[in-house]
Amino acid sequence: MNEALPDLVAQFTIRHGLFRRERVEAELYELDSYGCVMKTDKVFNPGDTVTLELIMDMPFDKIRAENVQGLITERRKHCSNFFYSIDFADLKSGGDTTLDEKMRRIREVLSKKQSLKSRRSSGSVPGMRHMA
C-alpha cells in the first residue's frame, strides 16, 4: 500500500446538517472485485455504509462507476488521515450488470497500467546502460 492507484479516485458526499453537503474526493490504494482501500481525512466507523463514485480519468476516456455501495469494515489511522477497507455489497449479490461491467473495465485498465509501470521501472535502467 505504498502508492495510490494511478488515475483512479473515489468521490462521495457527506451531509453537514439539513441542507449543506460536501463532495469529497479520495485516493484509492487497492481495488479488487470484493472491495477497495480508500484514504481520506473524513471520519467513518466500521459498519457505516458509503456510496462511492469511482472515476478513472484517462486522456481519451473517462470510466465512471456510479452508486457503488460499500460497507466500511476496517479503519486504520495514518497521520491526519484514515485508511478504510470497504467491501462492495452490490457487486457480490450480482445486482446491476452495467455497474459490474464498468468495475471490471476499471480493474482491467488498472492492471494494465500497473504492469506497464512495473516493467518501465524495473527494465529502464539496464536498457539505458545497454544502449550507451
Side-chain angles (χ1 to χ4, degrees):
M1 214 181 325
N2 298 338
E3 295 180 15
L5 298 176
D7 303 321
L8 182 64
V9 294
Q11 291 183 349
F12 56 94
T13 303
I14 294 182
R15 251 187 230 167
H16 296 286
L18 189 57
F19 297 108
R20 198 170 138 234
R21 294 177 185 207
E22 177 185 6
R23 188 79 173 154
V24 179
E25 190 171 287
E27 296 177 327
L28 292 178
Y29 283 77
E30 291 180 20
L31 178 70
D32 60 21
S33 58
Y34 302 106
C36 66
V37 174
M38 176 178 73
K39 179 183 177 183
T40 183
D41 61 347
K42 303 303 176 189
V43 179
F44 295 104
N45 293 312
D48 290 348
T49 58
V50 64
T51 302
L52 300 174
E53 182 175 343
L54 302 180
I55 302 168
M56 178 168 266
D57 195 8
M58 300 179 296
F60 298 107
D61 193 17
K62 184 182 277 192
I63 305 170
R64 283 184 114 98
E66 299 171 334
N67 295 322
V68 179
Q69 297 292 322
L71 175 68
I72 297 181
T73 57
E74 183 181 355
R75 175 177 69 185
R76 292 173 301 229
K77 186 164 176 57
H78 182 266
C79 297
S80 63
N81 291 307
F82 296 95
F83 284 97
Y84 293 104
S85 296
I86 300 172
D87 285 350
F88 298 141
D90 287 350
L91 300 180
K92 292 178 191 172
S93 62
D96 188 7
T97 57
T98 58
L99 179 61
D100 290 340
E101 179 61 28
K102 288 178 182 177
M103 292 294 292
R104 186 196 61 73
R105 177 78 175 125
I106 288 172
R107 286 191 308 272
E108 180 181 286
V109 171
L110 194 60
S111 69
K112 287 179 183 177
K113 282 183 172 224
Q114 287 175 324
S115 68
L116 284 172
K117 185 178 178 182
S118 68
R119 273 193 271 162
R120 247 186 286 147
S121 65
S122 66
S124 64
V125 175
M128 291 301 260
R129 287 184 187 154
H130 186 268
M131 287 178 61

